[in-house]
Amino acid sequence: QVQLVQSGAEVKKPGASVKVSCKASGYTFTNYYMHWVRQAPGQGLEWMGIINPSAGSTTYAQRFQGRITVTRDTSTRKVYMELSSLSSEDTAVYYCASGIARSRFDYWGQGTLVTVSS
Amino acid sequence: QSALTQPPSVSGSPGQSVTISCTGTSSDVGSYNRVSWYQQSPGTAPKLMIYEVSNRPSGVPDRFSGSKSGNTASLTISGLQAEDEADYYCSSYRSSSTLVFGGGTKLTVL
């Protein structure tokens, strides 16, 4: 069955960077787009960006441009999301989600809590 | 980049039908049949319920249906059940090749 397994919770100081990983299994890795979505405590979902694992091409939400980098390693079937210049407003659960089409999220990871605190 | 607009909350009694709206613009909902709906229960990851406006993934009950008119998409849940109580989010593809979510709607089953 399809599984997206994310790395564990992180605690970071303001100004630092965080890198979250997402390992995919149960499907052809390069056939599904991979998105990153975050959810601040008690808030809604926010789309951050997408990678085409086949081509490695990315598209990011405007508000994260310059601060987010999404990469993939096809040999390990992992996708990474790195977010820099963290502030307390980046405290959230970060999800990876894969979709057969770039416009939807068929499968979700379990989420990774990133806490930014001094 | 504004989020899509959803009502903060809706409610209904078991067996009734409820509809959740999702209003966007001509740059997203109005221009693309790429609207999806997700169900999220507390402490869990979202689950895809509807894709491309009105298609249900395998395993999603046919009580869930989707539609679109102009810049507004809708999710209708008929024969409401207690297990349907959750937060619901819409999302849409945008002309900038990005995606956007709605603010979410809390469904309460009375």
Side-chain angles (χ1 to χ4, degrees), chain B:
Chain B
Q1 292 178 321
S2 301
L4 306 176
T5 301
Q6 297 181 234
S9 63
V10 297
S11 63
S13 299
Q16 289 186 332
S17 292
V18 295
T19 296
I20 300 171
S21 62
C22 170
T23 301
T25 70
S26 58
S27 296
D28 38 64
V29 175
S31 288
Y32 303 97
N33 288 325
R34 298 188 189 180
V35 176
S36 302
W37 290 91
Y38 301 86
Q39 176 192 65
Q40 186 180 34
S41 298
T44 68
K47 174 187 175 184
L48 177 65
M49 304 301 284
I50 296 286
Y51 66 94
E52 292 170 4
V53 175
S54 59
N55 295 288
R56 275 178 289 106
S58 173
V60 173
D62 60 7
R63 303 184 294 103
F64 291 83
S65 62
S67 62
K68 191 186 87 166
S69 177
N71 294 340
T72 298
S74 299
L75 172 72
T76 298
I77 309 171
S78 58
L80 207 56
Q81 299 181 3
E83 66 201 51
D84 299 331
E85 186 162 294
D87 294 326
Y88 291 84
Y89 295 89
C90 61
S91 75
S92 176
Y93 183 80
R94 269 188 164 166
S95 56
S96 50
S97 298
T98 59
L99 283 90
V100 61
F101 282 102
T105 299
K106 180 177 181 60
L107 169 62
T108 300
V109 181
L110 302 170

Side-chain angles (χ1 to χ4, degrees), chain A residues 34-76:
Chain A
M34 190 72 80
H35 302 261
W36 287 91
V37 175
R38 76 178 186 179
Q39 186 169 36
Q43 302 300 309
L45 303 173
E46 181 175 26
W47 184 80
M48 300 180 70
I50 182 176
I51 187 167
N52 177 337
S54 178
S57 54
T58 55
T59 303
Y60 303 130
Q62 186 175 6
R63 66 169 292 179
F64 297 107
Q65 288 277 3
R67 218 165 54 94
I68 185 173
T69 304
V70 176
T71 56
R72 94 302 191 205
D73 183 336
T74 55
S75 66
T76 59

Side-chain angles (χ1 to χ4, degrees), chain A residues 68-88:
Chain A
I68 185 173
T69 304
V70 176
T71 56
R72 94 302 191 205
D73 183 336
T74 55
S75 66
T76 59
R77 303 170 60 88
K78 282 188 173 181
V79 174
Y80 300 89
M81 186 284 298
E82 183 169 22
L83 190 64
S84 62
S85 302
L86 293 170
S87 72
S88 59

